[in-house]
Amino acid sequence: MGGTSVAHTSRAPVWEEPDVVPTKTHEDQLQSVVDRLSAAAEADYYNPYKRFAWPDRLDVDGYWMSPELMTVHGTSAARELDEKTLQEISKWESGHFYSLNEVFSVAGWQVVATRRGW
């Protein structure tokens, strides 16, 4: 058969060459990410107990969030519910919102850190 012959080299893969040494292990990279995130968290820290004026007592017999932000807002279901029930729903939705916000905030920072190589 005619054709072109391709010369093959017996050169070792790059990762096996003695002069190519990784500068950081995965553990070192992870520690570097943790160190940078910790430093950023400390630099941006504020004391919420001192920064905000907190009321001595919360009004538990009212809306815990703006009715316009509730999932039932503008629906036929909302029109069928009385004010007390809507206020009760607002308590549950408010708590759910804050818990999800915390979960996705942490997850979001993990994604950002991973993408930026922190």
Side-chain angles (χ1 to χ4, degrees), residues 33-117:
V33 169
V34 169
D35 291 344
R36 284 194 304 267
L37 287 174
S38 295
E42 289 174 11
D44 292 339
Y45 174 77
Y46 64 88
N47 186 336
Y49 297 105
K50 292 182 180 179
R51 184 168 183 171
F52 302 105
W54 296 96
D56 293 330
R57 191 164 178 234
L58 293 176
D59 179 15
V60 295
D61 295 325
Y63 284 98
W64 285 33
M65 64 189 310
S66 172
E68 293 80 17
L69 297 176
M70 294 172 52
T71 58
V72 295
H73 178 70
T75 66
S76 59
R79 289 187 290 276
E80 294 174 16
L81 299 171
D82 62 34
E83 195 74 11
K84 183 78 173 158
T85 303
L86 288 169
Q87 290 173 351
E88 187 67 26
I89 291 171
S90 79
K91 292 176 188 179
W92 288 100
E93 288 191 1
S94 179
H96 187 247
F97 172 79
Y98 298 125
S99 66
L100 283 178
N101 190 32
E102 182 63 27
V103 167
F104 288 115
S105 175
V106 170
W109 276 113
Q110 289 172 340
V111 169
V112 168
T114 301
R115 287 185 181 164
R116 291 188 180 179

